[in-house]
Amino acid sequence: MNYRPRFLSKSQYEVLVLLLVFAISGCGSVPERTPPPAELKELAEIPGFPHVRDWGDDSSFIEEYWMSPSDEEIASNYSGVIGSEHTYLAISGGGANGAYGAGLLVGWTAAGTRPEFTVVTGISTGALIAPFAFLGSDYDEMLRELYTTLSTDDLIKKRGILTAITSDAVASTEPLQAKIAQYVDQRVVDAIAAEFRRGRHLIIGTTDLDTGRPVDWYIGEIANSDNPNRIDLIHKVLLASASIPGVFPPVLIGAEYEGQHFDEMHVDGGVVTQAFFYSFTTDWNIISERLEVKGRPTMYMIRNSRVNPARTTIEPTLLSITERSISLLILNQGVGDIFYMASLAERDDIDLNLAYIPDDFEIEENELFDPVYMQALFDLGYHNAKEGNPWLNVLNEINKY
């Protein structure tokens, strides 16, 4: 992943960096907002949507959510998953590389072996894939359209350098907002709500930029609400999860506490983690016991990136060195997330399988969302899932060493 946005030329990027220096020094202006004070961050709720999110690094809410109900409530709320085998799916970030994950899911359908997932989580581009992965193969064509027919201009609106430096991002995501509204419409939201009522969960991750903490949004809970703003909130969460800070504007989501109104600033969930399932403080064995899970649960993780850096030649310039270093930082954060999830899987006896972009994929993108590049990645994911086995059993590999 390159740090410099592909729709900026190198000279434009250099100017932007210089202007950022002046802005940081106080020469720029920023949009006004009303952030919640620190003492209320733990207490503020989304108006009309109580208990639809949780801190991703804290198990208190999820334990109450899954373990507080009575046996009768569990049987009623999880009628579609109780007493059955469980399969989980975590989809990582990766921008245009999400085309690999989309193709893999469609190819998995074609192979006839794609399961129904009990829980699906998504971050960044994975958040845009997740609703359709959650709903199943009937939505494969939507995945194909999203990741093979759209270009940069279909998803973002470029801003002039001077406009960008005095605002909150290099580009506007108005076109992406329109696409989210087009694809995640009332029919899709109603379908998510129906699956939620069976006990299945769709969870999207964002980053609360004020606290620097991950936030897990229970999309099924929102979809199943009778609040007329449910679709709008889902759109905001999906947009926020995919909003790379600095490149795309943050998403302000209204919150309140005892009549006081605030706006929280949410950005790409990949700022704090590239993929997620649950916190280390959560004892998943207890949840599995309550839901009477049959056998050993299976988790699939789609990493929309490589696990090894592509070899390249770096020019001895400040920008080239910085761009490469940040790219490597992001890549290795993602590898660290794999080991984190592997430690959870080993502790809680979950079978963890990983798919990622192979090292021998050598096509390079020519813009931020290059349809030729994305089509090639989609086709690769499709072929790997339909004709072979793209999954690496992580625990088996680790135990070899």
Side-chain angles (χ1 to χ4, degrees):
M1 178 189 296
N2 290 318
Y3 184 67
R4 169 169 57 89
R6 290 276 179 173
F7 57 83
L8 290 180
S9 68
K10 193 167 186 178
S11 60
Q12 287 176 317
Y13 182 64
E14 290 171 350
V15 171
L16 176 60
V17 170
L18 292 174
L19 288 173
L20 278 170
V21 172
F22 288 112
I24 292 170
S25 301
C27 299
S29 61
V30 294
E32 295 184 1
R33 58 180 291 244
T34 307
E39 65 271 16
L40 296 182
K41 283 299 297 181
E42 301 282 345
L43 302 173
E45 291 278 5
I46 308 302
F49 295 95
H51 311 306
V52 297
R53 62 188 181 154
D54 186 19
W55 295 113
D57 54 7
D58 181 9
S59 65
S60 58
F61 177 79
I62 195 170
E63 288 179 353
E64 177 183 350
Y65 192 89
W66 294 85
M67 291 187 265
S68 293
S70 66
D71 291 343
E72 291 75 16
E73 290 172 321
I74 287 287
S76 173
N77 295 341
Y78 297 93
S79 60
V81 301
I82 194 167
S84 64
E85 296 180 348
H86 278 206
T87 305
Y88 313 125
L89 175 67
I91 313 173
S92 84
N97 287 339
Y100 181 76
L104 188 149
L105 285 162
V106 177
W108 204 352
T109 297
T113 55
R114 178 173 159 187
E116 177 182 84
F117 303 109
T118 315
V119 180
V120 176
T121 69
I123 286 275
S124 196
T125 195
L128 304 181
I129 297 171
F132 309 112
F134 177 75
L135 291 177
S137 58
D138 288 347
Y139 294 81
D140 282 357
E141 283 309 305
M142 287 191 176
L143 282 176
R144 188 187 297 273
E145 286 181 25
L146 275 170
Y147 283 93
T148 64
T149 66
L150 303 179
S151 65
T152 306
D153 289 340
D154 295 316
L155 297 172
I156 65 173
K157 183 179 180 181
K158 304 168 190 176
R159 290 173 173 170
I161 293 295
L162 291 177
T163 301
I165 203 62
T166 56
S167 61
D168 52 6
V170 173
S172 164
T173 50
E174 290 178 7
L176 176 57
Q177 294 177 50
K179 291 298 179 185
I180 290 174
Q182 175 187 340
Y183 284 94
V184 186
D185 57 13
Q186 182 168 337
R187 179 176 68 96
V188 169
V189 171
D190 288 345
I192 292 171
E195 292 305 312
F196 170 78
R197 290 192 292 271
R198 294 181 56 227
R200 299 176 62 223
H201 281 276
L202 170 62
I203 308 172
I204 299 299
T206 67
T207 299
D208 182 313
L209 209 53
D210 289 324
T211 64
R213 296 177 68 185
V215 180
D216 296 348
W217 296 83
Y218 292 82
I219 301 301
E221 187 85 59
I222 300 171
N224 196 49
S225 167
D226 58 5
N227 191 305
N229 297 320
R230 64 191 181 115
I231 297 177
D232 180 61
L233 178 57
I234 290 172
H235 291 169
K236 284 184 176 180
V237 171
L238 294 175
L239 180 65
S241 187
S243 293
I244 305 168
V247 180
F248 306 138
V251 176
L252 300 182
I253 298 179
E256 67 178 10
Y257 178 72
E258 293 187 347
Q260 301 178 68
H261 297 272
F262 316 104
D263 50 64
E264 299 177 345
M265 182 177 285
H266 290 264
V267 298
D268 192 332
V271 170
V272 289
T273 183
Q274 293 291 305
F276 74 102
F277 188 55
Y278 56 89
S279 164
F280 196 81
T281 58
T282 301
D283 188 341
W284 198 259
N285 286 305
I286 296 177
I287 296 172
S288 294
E289 187 176 311
R290 289 224 66 191
L291 296 179
E292 302 173 15
V293 177
K294 290 179 61 177
R296 186 185 189 192
T298 300
M299 182 189 300
Y300 293 95
M301 178 180 177
I302 298 176
R303 174 165 166 75
N304 292 302
S305 184
R306 303 169 184 266
V307 294
N308 297 306
R311 182 173 177 81
T312 187
T313 300
I314 304 300
E315 298 175 12
T317 65
L318 172 63
L319 292 176
S320 294
I321 293 169
T322 301
E323 182 179 346
R324 175 66 167 175
S325 298
I326 294 176
S327 176
L328 291 173
L329 179 66
I330 293 171
L331 184 145
N332 284 289
Q333 177 205 15
V335 172
D337 290 332
I338 294 171
F339 281 95
Y340 176 80
M341 293 179 71
S343 68
L344 293 179
E346 184 170 37
R347 185 196 70 180
D348 297 337
D349 197 28
I350 297 173
D351 189 43
L352 177 61
N353 299 277
L354 171 71
Y356 57 90
I357 297 176
D359 291 343
D360 58 3
F361 181 78
E362 297 180 346
I363 298 175
E364 293 188 3
E365 69 269 40
N366 293 312
E367 56 179 290
L368 192 63
F369 296 98
D370 180 348
V372 175
Y373 171 84
M374 292 165 68
Q375 180 72 67
L377 262 182
F378 184 95
D379 291 344
L380 177 63
Y382 180 93
H383 173 81
N384 286 353
K386 184 176 184 294
E387 304 297 337
N389 180 13
W391 303 105
L392 177 74
N393 189 286
V394 178
L395 297 182
N396 287 349
E397 289 299 310
I398 290 175
N399 289 334
K400 287 179 181 179
Y401 303 97

